[in-house]
């Protein structure tokens, strides 16, 4: 429930009102004014706060009671009036205000005729009490168990986007920046931490103490943070003198070293790269036992899921190290993009999240080159395109008003698409010009709020020349990517020296009207059979022509997939590339190969290519060893049999699985069951062996079974290679006895990495009663953490024995889920789209439509993720109707016996 809190100065009274579902009192030539709790018309009828006054400073005292699970507080807000007014409106949610006063120069204003004067400085004093939230937002309680089984409680905050108002009355919008002086009262057995260093601790009666923290820099309310806990910490200083500390529950402090070292390197990198010093004397990273998202960038006090911060050197995998490092890089990038310079309103959230996502790759590529992070950026863009190819997508910058709409902005468009269009711009401007522009942006708008235009203006002055006589208009170009939804499909046709170009919207929809009226300024890049040099061309019209200096055997556009668009090659274009891949696929980079695999299957989805053309291209993968094209091959081929799986067409399903297995069997059989190799080699090994074991590959299952039995006989004490342990556990979880042993180890383990792999294996089991029990226990939250419920539900939905149970669970518990995880949250969207993504029958479409159609506004009927889910199922139905006979025919014709396929892979004859 969204509430606002108002101070009236005639007379001075306090009013609380829900903006939804309340009696309407009056209308003044506009939206209705709701009725306040005192029976009078509430003085404000808009979702956004008025601009009559703004805060300068908060003096905030918070006292949580971790026994009674409530808290008391007081706040004194210094405000400046920008116009004459008799009303100040603030935000408050679920707080019981027990005392309130308005003062000017420490004199209480109590007259019925009080009016705040323009330019005047006033003080609002409020006292309040509330329960610690049992959700993951606001000021909420979290719990953990010690090795001995004792439950311990802590209190922590998560305010972004609109939950600071649930911890203290405030101007809870990004533009209302202020300084904060924070005091925390606690028992002596706990510690407290906040955004700034602690100045002093005062002893109070009743064995209480009060920690007083230094005043913050000017910042938005959603970045305020405080925690009361019994954690331990380790610390180091950066080269620039900033103290970095990592906090964890006491028994996991030995898993904090990797995060500490990574944070020190990354903060030093950002200090140098942005040429703007990190402005605080300290930066804390805190692993929270109950945390809904991955991490949060609170200024000076970043918070994380335990799995996103803790690394056990004996039990964590290569992918764990990569994930932890990139998550830290994301949150530390926010200390500049988001904290120092903040979007004006949530419609431009991408200025925060897109930049942080993009900078993950820039920073980690420099600080940890051994992680080979550049290999994974491509996947970021493919994820964004999946969402952005639907008619329910939205522009990167799009209007939002209420909290659920704001929550929905934390999606693949703001994060992944935002990162991809920044990467595209960086490659087109050159990295040096791009860096100069964003440094200018940060310096000019420090401690301020910005909109899209401010960024483009900063980049215009440093933009590179496309031609000697022409400057690139960054603003005009980038507004085509941020102010309209979707992305372009560029059709290329080569005729001699001439290359004809045509652009249109790529859309998985049957309605052609939704593709008209779209135009992008597309920074095209290309290479040819005769020139490995990257050529550039800016396509600003629907059609255009470029000229090659000589005729070529093939041309490849979107070099390295640096651009956020898909390419279709008309005429002989695709055949020329397929021939190249058969005979010399290493002529192209792994990113170019991965993009071809992706693009060819995406073109099938919109009817631009027949399925057999895409499958013909996939045959080259039997020669492939690089992680990006191999993983993209799996990403395109596995969903085909997953769709068939839910049609109960076992023969065709097995035929498709067999094709994939034979395509990659040499690569699979060549994998060692060790942790040797580069990060990419280790991550590829982990996936390949898991896939092979799930598909029943005899050698894989046999090896995994032997390792699992030895591990079980040692009571879990035997050291397994971490990168292959998921495959081992997955095979072990097939039996009741194995499943129970794994769950016992799950409960006992203090290693978040090990628990994560065990949890994945448990959800892959064919034991349906165990799958249902896992979901129920995750919802209950004591045996398995509720924060993991979205993952558990979607994992069960991917299990051929569990997908029906996942859908039933989602429907049966919908109201509980939206209460716990909030309408519009990524957690809800992840479950909705994940559980429904592989259905492809009209019967299931109607069942899904009927359930979601029965909801109300309060329970989520307007959620964008529901529209995405319905669109996905509709697209699946269209794909299956058109391509199922073609798939059967192609497999019958081209998928030979295993020995024949081996021979053809070796001789490149298919």
């Amino acid at each position: 429930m969204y509430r606002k809190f108002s101070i009236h100065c005639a007379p001075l009274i306090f009013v609380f009102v829900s903006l939804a579902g309340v009696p309407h009192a009056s209308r003044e030539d506009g939206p209705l004014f709701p009725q306040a709790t005192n029976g009078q018309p509430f003085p404000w009828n808009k979702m956004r706060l008025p601009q009559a006054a703004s805060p300068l400073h908060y003096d905030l005292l918070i006292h949580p009671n971790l026994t009674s699970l409530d808290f008391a507080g007081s706040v004194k807000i210094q405000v400046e009036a920008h116009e004459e007014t008799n009303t100040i409106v603030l935000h408050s949610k679920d707080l019981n205000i027990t005392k309130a006063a308005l003062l000017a120069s420490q004199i209480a204003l109590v007259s019925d005729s009080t009016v705040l004067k323009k330019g005047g400085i006033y003080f609002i004093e409020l006292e309040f009490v509330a329960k610690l939230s049992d959700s993951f937002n606001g000021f909420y309680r979290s719990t953990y168990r010690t090795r001995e089984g004792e439950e311990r409680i802590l209190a922590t905050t998560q305010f972004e986007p609109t939950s600071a108002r649930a911890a203290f009355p405030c101007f809870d919008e990004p533009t209302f920046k202020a300084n904060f002086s924070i005091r925390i009262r606690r028992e002596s057995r706990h510690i407290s931490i906040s955004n700034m260093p602690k100045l002093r601790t005062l002893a109070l009666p009743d064995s209480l103490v009060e920690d007083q923290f230094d005043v913050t820099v000017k910042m938005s309310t959603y970045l305020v943070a405080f925690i009361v806990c019994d954690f331990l910490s380790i610390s180091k200083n950066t080269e620039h003198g900033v103290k970095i500390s990592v906090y964890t529950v006491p028994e996991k402090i030995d898993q904090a070293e990797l995060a500490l070292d990574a944070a020190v390197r990354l903060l030093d990198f950002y200090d140098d790269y942005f040429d703007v010093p990190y402005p605080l004397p300290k930066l804390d990273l805190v692993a929270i036992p109950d945390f809904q998202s991955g991490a949060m960038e609170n200024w000076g006090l970043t918070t994380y899921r335990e799995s996103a911060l803790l690394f056990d050197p004996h039990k964590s995998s290569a992918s764990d190290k990569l994930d932890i490092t990139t998550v830290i890089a994301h949150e530390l990038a926010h200390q500049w993009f988001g904290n120092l310079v903040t979007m004006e309103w949530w419609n431009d959230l991408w200025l925060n999240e897109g930049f942080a996502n993009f900078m993950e790759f820039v920073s980690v590529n420099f600080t940890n080159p051994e992680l080979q992070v550049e290999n994974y950026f491509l996947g970021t863009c493919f994820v964004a395109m999946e969402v952005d190819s639907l008619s329910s997508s939205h522009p990167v910058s799009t209007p939002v008003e209420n909290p659920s709409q704001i929550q929905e902005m934390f999606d693949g468009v703001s994060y992944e698409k935002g990162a991809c269009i920044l990467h595209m711009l960086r490659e087109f401007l050159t990295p040096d010009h791009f860096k100069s522009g964003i440094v200018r942006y940060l310096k000019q708008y420090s401690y301020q709020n910005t909109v899209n235009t401010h960024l483009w203006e900063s980049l215009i002055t440093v933009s590179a020349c496309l031609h000697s006589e022409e400057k690139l208009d960054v603003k005009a170009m980038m507004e085509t990517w941020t102010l309209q939804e979707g992305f372009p499909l560029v059709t290329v046709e080569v005729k001699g020296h001439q290359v004809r170009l045509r652009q249109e919207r790529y859309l998985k929809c049957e309605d052609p009207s939704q593709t008209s009226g779209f135009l992008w300024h597309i920074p095209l890049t290309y290479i040819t059979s005769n020139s490995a040099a990257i050529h550039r061309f800016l396509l600003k019209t629907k059609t255009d022509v470029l000229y090659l200096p000589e005729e070529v055997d093939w041309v490849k556009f979107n070099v390295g997939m640096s651009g956020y668009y898909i390419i279709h090659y008309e005429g002989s274009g695709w055949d020329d590339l397929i021939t190249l891949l058969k005979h010399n696929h290493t002529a192209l980079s792994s990113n170019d190969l991965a993009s071809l695999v992706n693009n060819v299957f995406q073109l099938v989805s919109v009817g631009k290519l027949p399925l057999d053309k895409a499958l013909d291209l996939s045959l080259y993968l039997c020669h492939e060893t690089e992680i990006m094209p191999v993983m993209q091959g799996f990403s395109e081929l596995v969903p085909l049999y997953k769709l068939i799986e839910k049609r109960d067409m076992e023969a065709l399903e097995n035929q498709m699985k067999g094709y994939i297995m034979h395509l990659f069997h040499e690569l699979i059989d060549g994998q060692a069951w060790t942790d040797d190799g580069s990060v990419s080699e280790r991550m590829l090994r982990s996936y390949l062996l898991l896939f092979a074991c799930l598909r029943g590959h005899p050698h894989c299952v046999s090896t995994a079974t032997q390792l699992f039995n030895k591990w079980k006989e040692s009571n879990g004490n035997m050291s397994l290679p971490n990168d292959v342990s998921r495959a081992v556990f997955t095979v072990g979880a097939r039996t009741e006895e194995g499943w129970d042993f794994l769950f016992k180890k799950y409960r006992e383990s203090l290693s978040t990495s090990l628990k994560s792999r065990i949890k994945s294996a448990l959800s892959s089991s064919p034991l349906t009663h165990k799958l249902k029990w896992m979901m129920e226990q995750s919802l209950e939250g004591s045996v398995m953490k509720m924060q993991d419920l979205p993952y558990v539900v979607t994992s069960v939905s991917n299990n051929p024995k569990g997908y029906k149970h996942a859908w039933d669970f989602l429907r049966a518990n919908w109201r509980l889920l939206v209460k716990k995880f909030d309408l519009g949250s990524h957690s809800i969207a992840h479950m909705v789209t994940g559980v429904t993504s592989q259905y492809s029958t009209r019967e299931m479409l109607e069942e899904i439509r009927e359930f979601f159609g029965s909801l109300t506004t309060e329970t989520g009927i307007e959620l964008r993720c529901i529209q995405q889910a319905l669109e996905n199922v509709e697209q699946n139905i269209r794909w299956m109707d058109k391509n199922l006979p073609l798939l059967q025919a192609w497999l019958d014709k081209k998928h030979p016996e295993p020995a024949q396929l081996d021979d053809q892979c070796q001789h490149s004859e298919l």
Side-chain angles (χ1 to χ4, degrees):
M1 186 167 58
Y2 181 73
R3 293 189 169 188
K4 285 182 178 174
F5 166 63
S6 171
I7 301 176
H8 291 275
C9 300
L12 289 176
I13 56 175
F14 298 85
V15 180
F16 301 86
V17 63
S18 167
L19 292 182
V22 297
H24 293 120
S26 65
R27 179 189 293 272
E28 293 183 3
D29 297 321
L32 293 172
F33 284 76
Q35 181 176 302
T37 51
N38 66 349
Q40 300 298 311
F42 191 77
W44 190 247
N45 66 342
K46 297 181 176 64
M47 193 63 69
R48 299 277 295 274
L49 292 178
Q51 303 292 312
S54 63
L56 302 174
H57 181 269
Y58 292 78
D59 192 339
L60 177 63
L61 170 66
I62 295 288
H63 179 197
N65 186 319
L66 300 190
T67 302
S68 58
L69 303 180
D70 53 20
F71 66 96
S74 65
V75 64
K76 183 177 182 180
I77 311 173
Q78 182 185 28
V79 300
E80 178 181 4
H82 301 300
E83 58 189 63
E84 285 196 358
T85 182
N86 65 355
T87 303
I88 299 177
V89 182
L90 297 84
H91 289 107
S92 175
K93 180 182 179 183
D94 298 333
L95 298 175
N96 180 15
I97 307 292
T98 58
K99 183 179 178 181
L102 180 68
L103 302 92
S105 301
Q106 307 304 312
I107 299 172
L109 305 175
V110 295
S111 166
D112 284 0
S113 60
T114 299
V115 173
L116 278 66
K117 301 296 185 183
K118 182 178 180 179
I121 303 297
Y122 301 88
F123 296 87
I124 306 167
E125 290 189 349
L126 305 166
E127 294 180 7
F128 51 92
V129 295
K131 285 286 187 182
L132 288 172
S133 173
D134 59 2
S135 72
F136 297 103
N137 299 307
F139 193 25
Y140 71 94
R141 68 181 180 96
S142 175
T143 63
Y144 72 94
R145 291 190 181 276
T146 65
R147 187 177 276 109
E148 290 73 30
E150 177 193 355
E151 184 179 76
R152 295 187 180 176
I153 298 173
L154 59 137
T156 186
T157 57
Q158 170 60 40
F159 291 162
E160 189 181 33
T162 60
S163 291
R165 65 195 69 177
F168 61 98
C170 56
F171 296 79
D172 198 14
E173 293 179 3
T175 54
F176 289 106
K177 292 190 172 187
N179 304 100
F180 296 80
S181 296
I182 295 173
R183 295 174 290 145
I184 306 290
R185 288 183 182 167
R186 59 176 173 83
E187 296 180 64
S188 57
R189 63 193 175 101
H190 294 128
I191 64 167
S192 72
I193 41 181
S194 188
N195 303 85
M196 297 297 289
K198 185 170 61 177
L199 293 176
R200 64 188 67 87
T201 298
L202 304 180
L204 300 176
D206 301 323
S207 301
L208 296 176
V209 296
E210 180 178 294
D211 293 329
Q212 299 181 352
F213 297 89
D214 204 352
V215 63
T216 71
V217 294
K218 188 179 179 183
M219 65 186 194
S220 303
T221 49
Y222 78 87
L223 296 170
V224 174
F226 37 85
I227 303 170
V228 176
C229 60
D230 65 348
F231 288 2
L232 298 179
S233 66
I234 57 173
S235 304
K236 281 184 183 178
N237 285 349
T238 69
E239 290 181 359
H240 295 82
V242 179
K243 182 181 179 181
I244 308 281
S245 301
V246 179
Y247 288 81
T248 78
V249 303
E251 291 177 331
K252 298 181 182 178
I253 194 63
D254 60 343
Q255 300 177 45
E257 196 71 39
L258 176 80
L260 181 62
D261 290 343
V264 168
R265 285 195 302 271
L266 286 161
L267 199 70
D268 276 330
F269 169 80
Y270 287 135
D271 254 325
D272 296 334
Y273 184 89
F274 294 137
D275 196 29
V276 178
Y278 175 74
L280 308 187
K282 66 96 173 175
L283 174 65
D284 299 330
L285 298 84
V286 187
I288 306 296
D290 299 278
F291 201 82
Q292 182 174 342
S293 57
M296 176 61 204
E297 67 266 23
N298 315 300
W299 215 344
L301 179 56
T302 57
T303 47
Y304 303 78
R305 272 191 184 216
E306 289 186 328
S307 59
L309 194 68
L310 303 184
F311 183 87
D312 185 333
H314 304 294
K315 296 178 180 176
S316 296
S317 66
S319 61
D320 293 326
K321 183 177 182 180
L322 175 66
D323 291 345
I324 289 167
T325 306
T326 52
V327 169
I328 294 171
H330 183 104
E331 303 314 320
L332 269 56
H334 271 312
Q335 307 301 300
W336 285 264
F337 282 97
N339 299 7
L340 183 68
V341 181
T342 312
M343 78 268 137
E344 190 171 284
W345 182 242
W346 300 104
N347 62 303
D348 279 330
L349 175 67
W350 84 278
L351 289 173
N352 286 19
E353 299 299 348
F355 255 109
N357 239 40
F358 167 70
M359 288 306 301
E360 290 175 25
F361 296 92
V362 175
S363 60
V364 175
N365 190 46
F366 181 87
T367 62
N368 295 82
E370 78 283 359
L371 295 180
Q372 301 169 290
V373 70
E374 68 278 2
N375 283 342
Y376 309 104
F377 188 79
L378 208 58
T380 293
C381 301
F382 293 150
V383 167
M385 286 175 163
E386 280 297 312
V387 176
D388 210 20
S389 64
L390 303 176
S391 60
S392 53
S393 186
H394 62 88
V396 169
S397 179
T398 197
V400 289
E401 286 291 322
N402 64 50
S404 63
Q405 292 172 346
I406 293 169
Q407 286 269 18
E408 286 190 303
M409 288 297 289
F410 290 77
D411 67 357
V413 173
S414 295
Y415 282 70
E416 281 81 15
K417 181 178 180 178
C420 293
I421 63 175
L422 288 170
H423 174 67
M424 177 175 66
L425 180 60
R426 178 179 187 250
E427 292 301 303
F428 207 66
L429 293 180
T430 74
D432 286 343
H433 282 95
F434 180 83
K435 176 183 173 182
S436 297
I438 63 173
V439 167
R440 177 191 297 268
Y441 170 78
L442 289 171
K443 289 182 175 180
Q444 183 171 354
Y445 297 106
S446 291
Y447 304 104
Q448 298 178 54
N449 297 83
T450 60
V451 296
N452 276 339
T453 304
H454 295 131
L455 176 61
W456 309 142
E457 288 172 349
S458 298
L459 286 162
I460 283 172
T461 57
V462 297
S463 62
C465 291
L466 288 176
H467 308 287
S468 58
E469 74 282 358
E470 182 184 352
K471 276 273 190 176
L472 173 66
D473 188 342
V474 175
K475 181 174 182 291
M477 171 182 161
M478 294 309 294
E479 284 187 346
T480 70
W481 297 95
T482 59
L483 300 183
Q484 60 184 352
E485 69 270 27
F487 59 91
L489 163 61
V490 178
T491 298
V492 174
E493 186 177 16
V494 180
K495 287 184 176 279
H497 293 251
Q498 192 180 81
V499 181
R500 297 176 182 174
L501 305 168
R502 183 175 75 252
Q503 65 161 293
E504 60 190 290
R505 183 183 177 187
Y506 178 90
L507 185 66
K508 294 178 179 177
C509 172
E510 288 191 310
D511 183 0
S513 68
Q514 295 196 47
T515 63
S516 61
F518 287 83
L519 183 71
W520 286 268
H521 291 190
I522 309 172
L524 297 173
T525 55
Y526 63 95
I527 56 175
T528 72
S529 57
N530 295 350
S531 173
I534 299 176
H535 304 275
R536 303 177 187 279
F537 185 86
L538 186 62
L539 179 62
K540 297 192 288 187
T541 53
K542 280 283 186 185
T543 61
D544 210 332
V545 178
L546 65 83
Y547 295 90
L548 302 173
E550 54 191 338
E551 293 191 9
V552 297
D553 294 330
W554 55 263
V555 60
K556 167 66 173 70
F557 273 79
N558 201 359
V559 181
M561 188 71 188
S562 61
Y564 188 71
Y565 52 89
I566 281 178
I567 298 291
H568 174 39
Y569 301 92
E570 278 193 341
S572 66
W574 278 110
D575 290 333
D576 295 339
L577 288 167
I578 290 171
T579 299
L580 172 68
L581 299 192
K582 284 181 183 178
H583 300 292
N584 185 24
H585 73 277
T586 56
L588 298 178
S589 71
S590 63
N591 272 13
D592 278 320
L593 292 166
S595 71
L596 287 176
V597 174
N598 169 270
N599 286 191
V600 74
F601 279 94
Q602 299 312 305
L603 292 168
V604 173
S605 293
V606 293
K608 293 289 185 179
L609 279 178
L611 177 61
D612 55 0
K613 189 72 70 179
L615 292 169
D616 285 347
L617 184 142
S618 75
L619 286 165
Y620 109 88
L621 289 167
C622 64
H623 304 289
E624 188 58 79
T625 60
E626 294 293 323
I627 187 170
M628 283 310 300
V630 169
M631 293 303 293
Q632 198 57 42
F634 278 106
S635 295
E636 303 299 341
L637 295 170
V638 168
L640 304 192
Y641 79 69
K642 298 299 285 186
L643 287 174
I644 301 166
E645 197 174 66
K646 293 173 179 57
R647 288 280 190 104
D648 297 322
M649 304 173 68
E650 189 173 355
L652 181 58
E653 175 192 334
N654 288 333
Q655 198 174 1
M656 186 65 204
K657 289 176 181 177
Y659 170 62
I660 300 171
M661 273 301 302
H662 289 309
L663 202 58
F664 295 109
H665 83 99
E666 285 193 3
L667 192 58
I668 290 168
D669 290 343
Q671 299 301 314
W673 292 68
T674 69
D675 286 338
D676 297 335
S678 68
V679 169
S680 289
E681 289 168 344
R682 293 172 63 186
M683 290 177 64
L684 181 58
R685 175 189 300 132
S686 181
Y687 182 86
L688 289 171
L689 293 179
L690 175 65
F691 178 83
C693 285
L694 283 169
R695 299 285 72 79
H697 186 47
H699 176 68
C700 182
V701 172
S702 173
T703 306
T705 301
Q706 291 175 25
L707 286 172
F708 182 77
N709 289 337
K710 290 179 181 178
W711 181 72
K712 183 171 174 290
E713 288 165 7
S714 74
N715 195 30
N717 295 319
M718 186 186 93
S719 179
L720 285 172
N722 295 313
D723 298 325
V724 304
S725 60
R726 188 177 171 195
V728 173
F729 296 155
T730 298
V731 170
R734 291 181 172 185
T735 68
E736 190 99 17
E737 183 183 359
W739 200 99
D740 290 341
F741 180 78
L742 280 163
F743 185 71
K744 177 174 177 286
K745 292 295 131 185
Y746 173 87
R747 296 203 66 181
E748 293 174 356
S749 178
L750 293 176
S751 168
T752 56
S753 299
L754 180 61
K755 289 171 78 80
S756 177
R757 292 196 297 278
I758 293 176
K759 181 176 59 191
S760 171
L762 296 175
S763 64
S764 300
S765 173
L767 304 173
T768 56
H769 62 290
K770 296 292 191 182
L771 301 177
K772 290 189 282 187
W773 185 84
M774 271 187 81
M775 292 189 290
E776 291 161 1
Q777 291 303 310
S778 299
L779 181 62
E780 193 273 332
S782 59
V783 177
M784 304 186 79
K785 287 284 188 183
M786 189 180 285
Q787 66 176 12
D788 296 327
L789 178 62
Y791 172 85
V792 171
V793 171
T794 54
S795 294
V796 171
S797 76
N798 281 321
N799 186 328
K801 299 292 186 181
Y803 64 90
K804 293 177 181 176
H805 302 299
W807 169 238
D808 291 341
F809 178 88
L810 184 72
R811 288 186 294 174
N813 296 285
W814 178 259
R815 281 165 177 76
L816 280 173
L817 294 173
V818 295
K819 181 180 179 182
K820 183 68 178 182
F821 293 103
D822 287 350
L823 279 182
S825 69
H826 179 70
S827 297
I828 294 295
H830 183 63
M831 286 187 281
V832 169
T833 56
V835 167
T836 59
S837 64
Q838 291 163 1
Y839 285 114
S840 65
T841 65
R842 288 170 177 80
E843 293 78 14
M844 273 309 303
L845 175 63
E846 288 310 308
E847 189 172 308
I848 294 167
R849 183 176 282 134
E850 181 181 355
F851 170 71
F852 288 122
S854 69
L855 303 179
T856 64
T857 301
E858 289 74 21
T859 56
I861 194 171
E862 297 174 354
L863 292 179
R864 184 184 293 121
C865 63
I866 293 174
Q867 299 309 310
Q868 291 170 341
L870 292 171
E871 277 194 75
N872 277 327
V873 178
E874 289 168 349
Q875 167 61 18
N876 291 344
I877 292 170
R878 288 194 297 271
W879 196 99
M880 294 289 276
D881 286 349
K882 181 175 183 178
N883 292 304
L884 205 56
L886 298 175
L887 178 61
Q888 181 73 73
W890 189 91
L891 288 172
D892 289 341
K893 179 181 178 182
K894 291 286 185 80
H895 175 38
E897 294 300 317
Q900 291 176 294
L901 186 75
D902 293 348
D903 183 66
Q904 287 163 331
C905 281
Q906 290 167 7
H907 294 93
S908 300
E909 292 175 357
L910 273 186

